[in-house]
Amino acid sequence: MRNIDFYGKTKLVQNKKVHFSLASLALVFCSEAGFAQAQSVNVRHAAAGAAHTVKKKTSHPPVKGVAVKSASVAAPHQAETESTSEESVIVTGTRETGRKARQSLSPIDVVTAKQLSQTGQPTLRDALAQLLPSLTVPTAGFDTGALTDSISLRGLNPNETLVLVDGKRRHTTANIYANPGPQQGSTPVDIDMIPMAAIDHVEVLRDGASAQYGSDAVAGVVNIILKKQDHGFHAQSITGITAAGDGFQQGVYMDGGMKLGSRGFVHLSGDYFHTDHTYRSAPDARVGRKINHVLGQPEQTRGSIAVNAGYNITDTIQAYATATYAHRHAESYQNYRLPSSLSGYPGYQAIYPWGYSPLETLDENDFGLTAGVKGVFYGWNWDLATVYGRDYDNIGLKNSANTYLEKTEGRTPTKFNQVQGFNDSQWSSSFDISRQFRFSGWPHSVNVAAGTAYRYESYSIGTGSPDSTAGSGSDALSGTNKGNAGNYSRDVVAGYLDISTHLTKHWQVDLAGRYEHYTDVGDTQTGKVAMRYDVSSRLSFRATISNGFHAPTLAQMHYSSLPVSPTAARGLIASSSPGALANGASQLKPERSTNISGGILLEPVRRLHVTVDVYQINLRDQIMPGGQVYGAQAASALQMNGFTLPSDYHSWSEHSISANWFANVASTRTQGLDLTATYMTRLGDIGRIDWDVAMNLNRTRLSHQTMGANGLPLLNAQSVAYMTTAYPRSKIIFGGRLTSGKWTVGLHEIRYGQVTSQVTYYGGAGYTNSLSNTVYKQFQNTPKFITNMEVTYRATPHLALTIGGNNLFNVMPRRVPDGNRYLGVPQYYMSTSQLGINGGFYYLRGDITF
């Protein structure tokens, strides 16, 4: 009986020393004497976009293969390969098989597991941020929003980036980022819930792709490709700590593959990660001491596993399945409460004689299941798949209080196990086909791809426990009342068509169109035209024009909450709620975009590869909170929605209590430039240096503002800054990696460009009162340079040891003036995506591979 390969073919590498990639479970085993010759492996890329995996070559022919090397090449950091022909085949942004990254019609980065490991970062999100200038992460975060990891492309909200796993849409988190800032309203895919040990490489498409993939692909697509080797074992440990001596981190990552009979494979992966709190707060102005820990990194413990399997049912039919599960427990500090806040409550005074700092907690369970069958039928590549994903978040409180319960019942609970609960699930099924045709009278092949998909989305908001909702609720975060809880769902039906061909030998064009129907927000139609012209093997031009959309998420449509600080409350209410409707709110519409990009690829001298791409994204009807109301008007809106405010809220300043809701607030224009360059210098017997430079220049401007029912813009100056200047104006990464014998030394510099914010003025004793909701101080975080360095020694062919540092010289952001810090505490501004607030991070890494 013949056996199917899941993979295509690669050229045989002979008489070459192949560098052993520990972080990505190297595809070539090393002999005890050194490096062995590479054996031929087969790499199969499914027509519907499934990623390649590797197994030993057999005499059995694959269903359909494409010739590629097994190693991957990425920008900005060049993998250790001998030539550009060893660049990996991509499956993102194209429906063709066998296309390499440098042949793409749209700009795409390919980052290998080894490159992720070489950053020294124990999480996928932070590792990608060290490698890709167009990708940014938040500086920090507030409240429960700090407990979910998010990524952004090209200075747009995380909701504008689509995340795929092996070409299939990944479900999003249920934990919405509800606090003010550029990430507000986002329910992103938390990519750190996917085991980093399971990742073979990541493909990042820096272009709009809604016509190919649907909603959310406005800024680009991140496609996480999982490992599928049927052999080997790899274990890695990363241990690190910050320059301040806090924030200890420990990550352990293991994976291995095995054969599934003689016709398939199973690959198992698992991560364990823990990080302690970091403390970056300035002294609390009310007491003059560093007792308030609100500014810092949350504590987090996360465990995750993944199982990836495939089996050749026949010579032309393949079955595959993937399962991931992750559990996270995280804790985030809230502002310190003075002992005087418990005056009149002797029970709580006895528990907290020196005051208290509430801790918001998150217990999260996240899982995804994929099952599918693919194959070839009369020349047609087909793929039938179903994907189910679910994320459940239980948000609680520790070290808190509910003074109403002591007053009315004589009880003094300090822990509230269920304050808020959110559930987000997604079940999608798809059928994709593709085939190359030859027509008489047309000299070039025509690739035709088409597909249809159905997706069911649901979102649930649970009620808080009775103790968390009684009276004004648990302190710091009140429990969700019955009036703001509910179950919501919608159906999405989609179909697409993609046609690609050459107009001449050197001129290729790709046309894509997509239709989607949402049962709650209606229909959308998107299209994309991409072209590429190869002047020579060393010079090419490419360009795309497309339109895209982001459908409002169910969380954006229905979420509400009321975080409470010692002297302030900030409510976010659903746009369809009584409080919002009474103030002029209207139904949310999908965001719509027009994307234009153009680029050049050149190799001016041998081994120097340069790409330059410019882009423009016009985003209309952008969804952000708008229609801010303050004081008595805000209190009325919150009370109409069932919220109870603290009894002393009448003594707060008018600007210290606010309410808003999500709305289509504005239109923006984002313009930018991406540049990547790689070059290899040979040093003879000494070794080699792989040089790389990558840069992103980005600017977003407001082109239109939506007016509210009162005739005023829905955005204030602070919100406009969140949308336009909170992401770095530029980000540049440059450096190199020296490989010599058993030693590897990497050195890279990252320059973060300027971000500009509009910060609030505070006054009163201890800076407790907001002074204005119309006048703000312009605050600029000036450009910053950080240095990353690591040194690796390969002790044996199976063991490598590394010491390294990120932000080697402990560079910190610019400090916020005293009068613009609530309580004087947040000395670094958290609502940006520039330089992080933790400072230097130093680590040890060990890798074992068999």
Side-chain angles (χ1 to χ4, degrees):
M1 180 178 292
R2 290 192 302 169
N3 191 16
I4 298 179
D5 244 354
F6 288 85
Y7 329 107
K9 296 182 178 179
T10 184
K11 297 176 182 178
L12 184 64
V13 181
Q14 294 181 335
N15 300 320
K16 299 283 186 180
K17 287 187 177 181
V18 180
H19 188 77
F20 192 60
S21 174
L22 290 167
S24 59
L25 267 184
L27 307 179
V28 184
F29 284 109
C30 298
S31 67
E32 291 187 3
F35 297 109
Q37 289 185 350
Q39 294 184 344
S40 180
V41 294
N42 288 331
V43 181
R44 163 68 169 137
H45 283 266
H52 75 267
T53 51
V54 178
K55 64 183 290 184
K56 292 181 181 179
K57 186 177 179 181
T58 71
S59 60
H60 309 301
V63 174
K64 185 178 180 180
V66 287
V68 296
K69 290 280 184 180
S70 60
S72 297
V73 173
H77 295 300
Q78 183 85 356
E80 297 176 14
T81 54
E82 291 296 327
S83 69
T84 61
S85 68
E86 294 180 31
E87 186 175 11
S88 67
V89 168
I90 59 170
V91 295
T92 311
T94 179
R95 299 289 178 178
E96 296 183 272
T97 59
R99 183 168 294 278
K100 299 180 182 180
R102 290 198 184 100
Q103 298 171 337
S104 173
L105 278 68
S106 301
I108 189 167
D109 297 318
V110 183
V111 179
T112 66
K114 180 174 183 178
Q115 293 166 306
L116 295 172
S117 174
Q118 287 171 340
T119 66
Q121 292 293 327
T123 65
L124 176 59
R125 177 187 73 154
D126 292 327
L128 288 174
Q130 295 287 323
L131 296 168
L132 302 174
S134 60
L135 186 145
T136 56
V137 300
T139 301
F142 293 97
D143 302 327
T144 58
L147 306 178
T148 295
D149 298 336
S150 65
I151 57 173
S152 302
L153 285 178
R154 291 182 161 177
L156 295 178
N157 186 282
N159 279 344
E160 317 296 346
T161 298
L162 176 64
V163 176
L164 310 173
V165 175
D166 279 347
K168 304 296 190 291
R169 177 183 287 263
R170 177 77 174 183
H171 65 278
T172 61
T173 181
N175 185 22
I176 188 172
Y177 192 98
N179 297 96
Q183 291 82 32
Q184 190 167 19
S186 64
T187 48
V189 174
D190 191 335
I191 60 176
D192 286 339
M193 302 300 273
I194 302 168
M196 205 154 76
I199 298 171
D200 182 85
H201 66 278
V202 180
E203 299 178 1
V204 180
L205 176 66
R206 293 177 275 115
D207 200 9
S210 293
Q212 294 162 303
Y213 300 108
S215 177
D216 308 338
V218 173
V221 178
V222 175
N223 192 4
I224 298 171
I225 310 301
L226 303 182
K227 296 175 182 176
K228 301 175 181 65
Q229 291 90 331
D230 63 1
H231 56 273
F233 172 79
H234 174 240
Q236 182 182 86
S237 172
I238 300 177
T239 305
I241 197 168
T242 68
D246 56 13
F248 171 82
Q249 295 187 12
Q250 177 63 61
V252 178
Y253 315 87
M254 293 188 290
D255 73 282
M258 65 188 74
K259 293 182 182 297
L260 187 60
S262 61
R263 302 177 64 88
F265 75 93
V266 176
H267 202 97
L268 305 176
S269 310
D271 289 1
Y272 170 82
F273 170 73
H274 173 81
T275 180
D276 288 340
H277 287 286
T278 60
Y279 307 99
R280 297 295 177 267
S281 296
D284 192 310
R286 297 169 298 173
V287 296
R289 292 180 288 122
K290 285 189 176 182
I291 199 169
N292 193 329
H293 301 312
V294 71
L295 181 65
Q297 171 182 279
E299 179 183 320
Q300 179 182 157
T301 301
R302 184 182 70 246
S304 57
I305 58 174
V307 180
N308 200 10
Y311 192 81
N312 301 322
I313 300 173
T314 71
D315 287 348
T316 58
I317 300 176
Q318 308 163 352
Y320 59 91
T322 302
T324 65
Y325 171 77
H327 174 77
R328 169 173 27 217
H329 177 81
E331 300 183 356
S332 176
Y333 275 105
Q334 305 307 293
N335 278 300
Y336 167 70
R337 268 61 174 172
L338 296 173
S340 60
S341 67
L342 299 174
S343 177
Y345 304 97
Y348 277 119
Q349 282 182 318
I351 297 172
Y352 301 125
W354 312 112
Y356 63 102
S357 294
L359 274 165
E360 287 184 355
T361 65
L362 170 67
D363 282 287
E364 181 176 9
N365 289 288
D366 181 284
F367 68 85
L369 298 170
T370 300
V373 183
K374 62 188 176 185
V376 179
F377 182 74
Y378 285 99
W380 287 92
N381 300 285
W382 58 272
D383 188 342
L384 177 64
T386 188
V387 182
Y388 180 77
R390 179 179 182 268
D391 184 74
Y392 175 72
D393 299 329
N394 180 45
I395 296 171
L397 276 171
K398 293 167 56 176
N399 302 334
S400 184
N402 187 336
T403 55
Y404 175 83
L405 292 175
E406 179 177 350
K407 183 177 180 180
T408 59
E409 302 180 20
R411 295 191 297 116
T412 56
T414 61
K415 185 176 182 180
F416 304 87
N417 291 325
Q418 185 174 334
V419 177
Q420 296 180 342
F422 304 104
N423 180 76
D424 183 274
S425 65
Q426 175 182 292
W427 187 10
S428 59
S429 299
S430 61
F431 180 65
D432 303 276
I433 57 174
S434 68
R435 183 178 179 178
Q436 279 197 351
F437 290 92
R438 290 280 185 178
F439 298 102
S440 60
W442 188 254
H444 309 290
S445 63
V446 178
N447 192 83
V448 177
T452 184
Y454 166 78
R455 186 167 74 253
Y456 173 78
E457 298 177 354
S458 67
Y459 176 68
S460 300
I461 304 173
T463 55
S465 64
D467 283 358
S468 73
T469 58
S472 60
S474 44
D475 188 32
L477 184 67
S478 59
T480 302
N481 58 57
K482 292 182 180 179
N484 290 293
N487 300 304
Y488 313 96
S489 64
R490 67 183 175 197
D491 301 281
V492 185
V493 179
Y496 74 89
L497 177 66
D498 191 316
I499 301 175
S500 177
T501 188
H502 280 79
L503 301 180
T504 69
K505 180 180 179 180
H506 302 291
W507 184 10
Q508 185 180 3
V509 62
D510 192 327
L511 307 174
R514 189 181 190 91
Y515 167 83
E516 293 204 13
H517 171 74
Y518 286 73
T519 54
D520 55 353
V521 295
D523 302 337
T524 64
Q525 300 85 33
T526 53
K528 181 174 182 176
V529 179
M531 294 187 180
R532 175 178 173 129
Y533 189 82
D534 296 313
V535 178
S536 69
S537 61
R538 294 196 174 193
L539 176 63
S540 301
F541 297 92
R542 61 189 176 195
T544 64
I545 181 169
S546 65
N547 66 321
F549 72 102
H550 161 66
T553 65
L554 293 173
Q556 287 176 324
M557 300 170 74
H558 302 289
Y559 172 86
S560 62
S561 70
L562 179 64
V564 179
S565 295
T567 60
R570 184 180 58 251
L572 178 61
I573 56 181
S575 59
S576 58
S577 67
L581 294 174
N583 287 279
S586 57
Q587 183 179 357
L588 289 177
K589 301 181 295 183
E591 300 175 342
R592 301 185 186 275
S593 69
T594 302
N595 299 52
I596 303 173
S597 66
I600 182 173
L601 302 88
L602 66 156
E603 186 181 2
V605 297
R606 188 170 178 268
R607 298 196 301 270
L608 174 60
H609 300 280
V610 181
T611 69
V612 182
D613 292 275
V614 295
Y615 59 89
Q616 177 174 291
I617 305 171
N618 292 332
L619 185 57
R620 302 177 295 281
D621 297 322
Q622 191 162 346
I623 300 171
M624 288 283 282
Q628 288 269 10
V629 291
Y630 298 89
Q633 188 177 2
S636 174
L638 292 168
Q639 290 164 349
M640 290 175 68
N641 282 28
F643 289 109
T644 302
L645 292 164
S647 57
D648 62 344
Y649 85 91
H650 294 286
S651 65
W652 300 349
S653 70
E654 179 182 4
H655 309 299
S656 294
I657 178 169
S658 64
N660 60 5
W661 51 90
F662 288 107
N664 298 101
V665 296
S667 298
T668 59
R669 170 171 289 180
T670 299
Q671 297 172 312
L673 179 146
D674 290 317
L675 179 148
T676 67
T678 60
Y679 183 73
M680 183 184 68
T681 300
R682 298 187 186 277
L683 303 177
D685 293 337
I686 297 176
R688 58 186 283 179
I689 301 177
D690 292 298
W691 306 97
D692 56 80
V693 177
M695 176 176 65
N696 173 258
L697 305 178
N698 194 78
R699 177 179 66 181
T700 297
R701 290 178 292 182
L702 203 67
S703 56
H704 172 75
Q705 277 212 61
T706 304
M707 298 297 173
N710 57 4
L712 299 176
L714 291 179
L715 295 176
N716 57 27
Q718 191 172 61
S719 297
V720 171
Y722 291 148
M723 296 176 64
T724 58
T725 57
Y727 293 93
R729 187 70 176 81
S730 62
K731 184 179 174 184
I732 305 171
I733 306 172
F734 58 95
R737 189 170 299 277
L738 167 67
T739 303
S740 179
K742 295 183 177 182
W743 292 90
T744 301
V745 179
L747 179 63
H748 284 86
E749 196 78 7
I750 303 180
R751 181 192 184 274
Y752 292 92
Q754 178 174 293
V755 296
T756 303
S757 307
Q758 299 287 333
V759 294
T760 303
Y761 285 100
Y762 294 97
Y767 300 116
T768 54
N769 294 325
S770 301
L771 299 182
S772 175
N773 57 26
T774 57
V775 179
Y776 300 92
K777 177 181 177 61
Q778 180 172 288
F779 174 73
Q780 293 180 339
N781 253 321
T782 52
K784 297 286 185 178
F785 285 85
I786 68 168
T787 303
N788 298 335
M789 183 176 181
E790 72 162 27
V791 178
T792 299
Y793 176 70
R794 184 174 302 284
T796 74
H798 303 290
L799 174 65
L801 303 173
T802 300
I803 184 171
N806 298 127
N807 192 356
L808 204 60
F809 302 109
N810 195 32
V811 178
M812 301 297 291
R814 185 181 170 212
R815 290 166 58 95
V816 177
D818 291 349
N820 300 105
R821 309 178 197 167
Y822 179 59
L823 308 181
V825 172
Q827 59 181 327
Y828 307 121
Y829 196 59
M830 292 190 282
S831 294
T832 68
S833 291
Q834 196 210 33
L835 185 66
I837 64 172
N838 285 330
F841 176 72
Y842 312 114
Y843 61 90
L844 296 172
R845 186 178 75 239
D847 290 87
I848 299 175
T849 307
F850 295 98

